Amino acid sequence: MEEKLAALLEEAVDGVMDEVIAFRRQLHRRPELGFETFETMELISKILTEAGIGHKTHCAESGVVARIPSKGSGHKLALRGDIDALPVTEQTSLPFASEIEGRMHACGHDNHAAIALGSALVLNRLQGRLPGETLVVFQPAEEGPTLPTGARRIMAEGHLDGVREIYGLHVSNELMVGQIGCRCGNFMASADMLNVKFTGKASHAAYPHKGVDALLVACRFVDAVQTVVSRMSDPLEPIVISFGRMIAGEAGNVLAGEAQLWGTMRTYNKELQRRALAAIEQMANETAAMYGATAEVKITQAIGSVVNDKRTTQKLERVARELLGEEQVVALENPSMGGEDFSGYLDAIPGTFYNLGTSDGVNREPLHSSTFDVDERALRVGVRLMCALALDPER
């Protein structure tokens, strides 16, 4: 980036950071779930309107897409920040802790939204230096559970038609403030939702031979299904199958006539994904039959794997090294088994997803924790980098 533009960027970023941090804290106080982020949408719209930034509301029901025009001939670029929270009860002592019981920005989307807002405000100030039109997406429902999630809804409604590259980020307490984590290719795994119901026959627990114990069948299945990981897939191909919820029976002295399981499967390999899902269904049916029960398997392919485009990843690394310093750009050795619906954009648009360091060296609380928080100095880093990507002349 040329010296004059770099100085203008720093000045513009400094000029919006108080508003960015205040906005983040307001979102943290008032977390909203899924597609019901209407209060958040209205707040974003109010700030954009006051700044004179054109935008659409009610995108994917309760999201916002802002447009920063340009007189340049470069192609259209998009920056994305998700805005929904999680059904988690906050246990921090923050002065701006969640005011809504059972809801919390435990995944850091309040920070993503604040960085997106700051980027829109800065790029609007530097509009004359933009090489091409830039869209800033404030996306609801990244976390689900309603499907399709927000990214696919944004795409299906045509809000990103004509976009040629897209960037998104996720806060990470595994990296220090000032660092970013990059990786070309596989970055995050696909996420399939599993629901398996076993139906047997209830009976008195003292006479188990007169019933079919659905709880026992479910336990046998949960144990057996791990052979899909240990014996039916290449040990060098990552795959995770986990069941986190089960409901069975109504009393301790009655064999369960029905048992229902909910879980997830994660992988990067589409062929392995296909074979593993088929094996899970077959194993459920065969385990049930072995004990005289029946099985019903429902599989929902929620999100695909996040696969970062080579060209845009190289651009991210180049811009980040110039802006943050060589040592601050961390090459991630392994992809994550976590899921992210940013894949809904990457299926159609070349782009890159990266991790933004938010740890101060003491705070290492993981995502989705009831005590999760970030060092707010990271917000400035995020705004600077997102804006630098948009201002880069190579588009």
Side-chain angles (χ1 to χ4, degrees):
M1 184 182 295
E2 61 169 284
E3 188 174 338
K4 183 177 180 181
L5 179 57
L8 289 172
L9 173 60
E10 297 301 323
E11 182 182 356
V13 171
D14 286 341
V16 304
M17 286 312 302
D18 286 347
E19 187 170 9
V20 167
I21 290 173
F23 172 77
R24 179 253 166 166
R25 294 181 178 185
Q26 176 63 13
L27 259 59
H28 198 90
R29 288 189 186 96
R30 304 292 300 172
E32 297 178 292
L33 305 179
F35 288 105
E36 302 296 318
T37 56
F38 294 106
E39 184 178 320
T40 301
M41 179 189 75
E42 293 297 338
L43 178 59
I44 293 167
S45 179
K46 179 177 181 292
I47 295 172
L48 293 175
T49 299
E50 290 172 351
I53 298 174
H55 61 281
K56 296 179 182 178
T57 58
H58 297 281
C59 302
E61 293 191 36
S62 55
V64 180
V65 176
R67 175 181 174 269
I68 315 297
S70 167
K71 294 181 180 179
S73 58
H75 61 250
K76 192 185 296 186
L77 176 147
L79 307 173
R80 177 270 213 163
D82 39 9
I83 62 178
D84 58 320
L86 284 166
V88 171
T89 297
E90 183 161 353
Q91 294 182 321
T92 71
S93 56
L94 294 170
F96 50 89
S98 173
E99 298 172 353
I100 304 176
E101 183 72 19
R103 296 183 188 178
M104 178 189 174
H105 271 292
C107 201
H109 295 190
D110 51 335
N111 301 283
H112 304 166
I115 289 169
L117 180 69
S119 299
L121 295 174
V122 169
L123 293 174
N124 188 54
R125 294 186 181 194
L126 301 179
Q127 191 178 125
R129 303 300 296 266
L130 270 176
E133 181 180 346
T134 300
L135 303 182
V136 182
V137 181
F138 300 86
Q139 179 210 305
E142 189 280 324
E143 298 288 354
T146 306
L147 297 174
T149 56
R152 293 197 184 279
R153 288 281 298 274
I154 292 285
M155 291 297 292
E157 292 173 10
H159 299 297
L160 300 192
D161 287 354
V163 170
R164 297 271 296 281
E165 59 181 304
I166 186 168
Y167 297 90
L169 60 81
H170 207 297
V171 294
S172 171
N173 276 342
E174 295 182 9
L175 296 170
M176 297 293 294
V177 171
Q179 294 181 318
I180 67 160
C182 308
R183 193 175 196 279
C184 187
N186 289 332
F187 194 85
M188 300 187 81
S190 60
D192 298 304
M193 302 296 108
L194 311 173
N195 175 214
V196 183
K197 183 171 75 173
F198 294 102
T199 302
K201 181 181 178 183
S203 72
H204 196 294
Y207 310 104
H209 58 290
K210 294 185 179 182
V212 177
D213 188 351
L215 174 56
L216 174 64
V217 178
C219 292
R220 290 285 189 265
F221 166 74
V222 169
D223 183 48
V225 82
Q226 292 306 317
T227 61
V228 174
V229 176
S230 66
R231 292 296 180 268
M232 298 176 66
S233 62
D234 186 334
L236 299 179
E237 287 283 0
I239 180 171
V240 173
I241 302 173
S242 299
F243 285 91
R245 184 184 183 208
M246 179 169 72
I247 295 178
E250 297 182 13
N253 63 345
V254 180
L255 296 188
E258 183 177 292
Q260 194 159 183
L261 298 163
W262 288 265
T264 184
M265 188 185 83
R266 311 294 176 101
T267 186
Y268 308 107
N269 185 313
K270 289 186 178 181
E271 175 57 24
L272 175 58
Q273 179 186 28
R274 183 192 65 78
R275 288 189 287 106
L277 292 175
I280 289 170
E281 185 166 11
Q282 180 182 1
M283 199 168 288
N285 286 314
E286 291 181 354
T287 303
M290 184 166 57
Y291 290 93
T294 60
E296 181 182 346
V297 182
K298 294 181 180 178
I299 296 170
T300 303
Q301 296 189 8
I303 56 175
S305 55
V306 174
V307 182
N308 283 339
D309 168 70
K310 182 178 179 180
R311 181 186 64 81
T312 55
T313 302
Q314 289 175 339
K315 171 180 171 177
L316 168 69
E317 292 171 345
R318 172 178 56 79
V319 171
R321 288 190 182 102
E322 181 181 338
L323 191 73
L324 308 176
E326 182 81 27
E327 70 286 353
Q328 300 293 70
V329 181
V330 179
L332 301 176
E333 183 177 353
N334 299 309
S336 166
M337 295 307 288
E340 231 292 343
D341 87 333
F342 195 75
S343 59
Y345 302 113
L346 296 182
D347 287 345
I349 304 170
T352 293
F353 195 73
Y354 64 95
N355 287 339
L356 176 71
T358 51
S359 176
D360 58 5
V362 177
N363 174 22
R364 296 283 188 178
E365 288 298 309
L367 297 170
H368 291 213
S369 164
S370 62
T371 54
F372 178 77
D373 189 27
V374 305
D375 186 326
E376 290 182 327
R377 292 178 299 167
L379 297 179
R380 188 176 190 279
V381 179
V383 173
R384 290 173 68 218
L385 182 52
M386 285 301 216
C387 290
L389 289 166
L391 290 164
D392 187 72
E394 293 188 15
R395 68 160 164 139

